[in-house]
Amino acid sequence: MHIRKRLSGFLLGLGLAVAAAQAQQPLRIVVPFAAGGGTDQYARLLASELTKHGTQTIVENKPGASGIVAADSVARSKPDGTTLLMSSLSILASNTVMYDKLPYDPVKSFTPVTQIAYQPTIIVGRSDLPYKNIKEMVAYAKAHPDKINRGSPGASVLTNLAPLAFEGMAGIRTTHIPFNGDSPGLQALLGSQTDIQGTSITGPLQHVKAGKMRVLGVMDSKRLPQVPEAPTFKEQGYDIEALLWYALSAPAATPKDTVDKLNRAVNQVLVDPDFIARSQAIGMEPRGGTPQALADYVKAETQRWVPLLQRLDLPKQGQ
């Protein structure tokens, strides 16, 4: 009997220890790009602040196939509030056009948690190029067809779609070279393997400040505070705006109270003045909101960009 009591006590203690370990499991934000890029920098900044505010958070990079690798991983994760996807237009909308078949459903596989940031699409080029802005680049492209190699973080990412839309508007064509994230593409640009890249200011900012890259144009109604000398596309005669946005999505069956708790924790960080200042220093503008606000925004962006992709009639991508 004494042995039984000790065994029961041991098993009870073991069960409590397992439960405690599960309760202390950190929040994992899965980033669909390689480490070192702009989105990764922001995700790590957010994770650090969440940890400081009491929600232990880690970042896991799962690059590949325009976010499909990361999205599939999170869609298959336990809906217990410990795994979130850093989602974007490509994952939640444009991949449906770019790929014949997806291992996840952009609507049914996830539940929205909150928006976390936005920034305008820009085009950067090496500083040794024979053109210094978008207007000059268009003239060069028309005089030298198919001579410009353009990198992007992925085929269905906005930083490819927006430049594609612009090329159609300007009547030019570049050779698109997709990479698994922003950072590998920028490294290829530095190595002269590509000439220009659709991106955001976060990743190339250090290279722009060092004089190795130049911002050719900003797809926004105003110039960027980080590079005030860089003109907008509108200033150069092209009426196009394209905002990159980032959000957090959870596996579909995650309970509403868990989603609401995560939403409150993240939004608490997003309005912190110090966090806002540090985010803006790397080119990000924090923006939060409710789960419903994110769902409505994704729907509006889908209605804007998916028809463009369909009109372009691009070849389907493999996985």
Side-chain angles (χ1 to χ4, degrees):
M1 182 67 70
H2 182 63
I3 293 175
R4 257 186 219 173
K5 285 184 179 179
R6 289 179 62 187
L7 180 59
S8 297
F10 172 76
L11 291 175
L12 176 61
L14 180 61
L16 291 173
V18 171
Q22 290 175 338
Q24 294 171 6
Q25 188 174 349
L27 175 64
R28 183 169 57 108
I29 298 177
V30 179
V31 176
F33 301 115
T39 49
D40 177 67
Q41 290 179 43
Y42 184 70
R44 291 180 186 278
L45 177 60
L46 178 60
S48 175
E49 290 303 307
L50 282 169
T51 298
K52 289 179 184 177
H53 282 73
T55 303
Q56 186 183 357
T57 308
I58 60 174
V59 171
E60 182 176 337
N61 300 90
K62 285 186 176 293
S66 294
I68 292 176
V69 175
D72 183 40
S73 172
V74 174
R76 296 172 185 273
S77 298
K78 290 183 179 180
D80 57 4
T82 62
T83 304
L84 295 178
L85 172 68
M86 191 175 190
S87 52
S88 60
L89 178 73
S90 60
I91 290 173
L92 298 181
S94 53
N95 277 350
T96 59
V97 180
M98 296 297 294
Y99 291 85
D100 280 319
K101 186 178 180 181
L102 294 174
Y104 68 91
D105 185 299
V107 177
K108 297 178 181 179
S109 295
F110 306 106
T111 187
V113 177
T114 182
Q115 291 194 53
I116 55 174
Y118 74 94
Q119 54 188 169
T121 298
I122 65 173
I123 290 183
V124 297
R126 296 194 317 275
S127 56
D128 62 346
L129 293 173
Y131 40 89
K132 297 181 174 62
N133 54 49
I134 289 298
K135 195 171 183 179
E136 292 180 2
M137 186 194 82
V138 170
Y140 180 88
K142 288 182 175 180
H144 305 83
D146 299 319
K147 292 297 183 181
I148 297 177
N149 291 326
R150 176 177 58 82
S152 83
S156 62
V157 180
L158 184 62
T159 43
N160 174 46
L161 300 184
L164 267 178
F166 164 69
E167 289 175 17
M169 177 189 298
I172 62 171
R173 188 173 62 192
T174 64
T175 300
H176 177 223
I177 303 174
F179 293 89
N180 286 333
D182 204 42
S183 186
L186 293 174
Q187 288 304 312
L189 186 64
L190 289 172
S192 298
Q193 295 167 302
T194 57
D195 304 303
I196 63 173
Q197 177 155 320
T199 181
S200 65
I201 191 57
T202 304
L205 184 56
Q206 60 177 321
H207 305 302
V208 172
K209 289 183 175 179
K212 297 178 181 178
M213 293 183 188
R214 179 183 288 112
V215 178
L216 304 179
V218 179
M219 293 188 180
D220 199 2
S221 59
K222 59 184 182 300
R223 294 191 179 196
L224 289 169
Q226 296 86 0
V227 282
E229 71 280 3
T232 65
F233 274 66
K234 285 188 176 182
E235 289 177 287
Q236 301 181 72
Y238 300 100
D239 188 14
I240 183 170
E241 291 184 23
L243 297 181
L244 290 153
W245 51 268
Y246 309 99
L248 294 178
S249 301
T254 305
K256 183 180 183 302
D257 61 338
T258 301
V259 170
D260 290 341
K261 183 179 178 180
L262 289 165
N263 178 277
R264 288 193 297 271
V266 175
N267 275 274
Q268 181 184 12
V269 171
L270 297 179
V271 297
D272 180 84
D274 180 62
F275 177 78
I276 292 173
R278 293 171 67 190
S279 299
Q280 290 175 336
I282 60 172
M284 286 284 191
E285 291 292 335
R287 176 171 64 186
T290 65
Q292 186 58 51
L294 172 57
D296 293 342
Y297 187 75
V298 171
K299 184 177 180 180
E301 284 288 275
T302 300
Q303 292 172 345
R304 179 188 181 190
W305 290 106
V306 166
L308 167 65
L309 265 176
Q310 292 170 332
R311 287 197 301 272
L312 289 172
D313 195 26
L314 298 172
K316 297 286 186 179
Q317 303 292 314
Q319 292 181 36

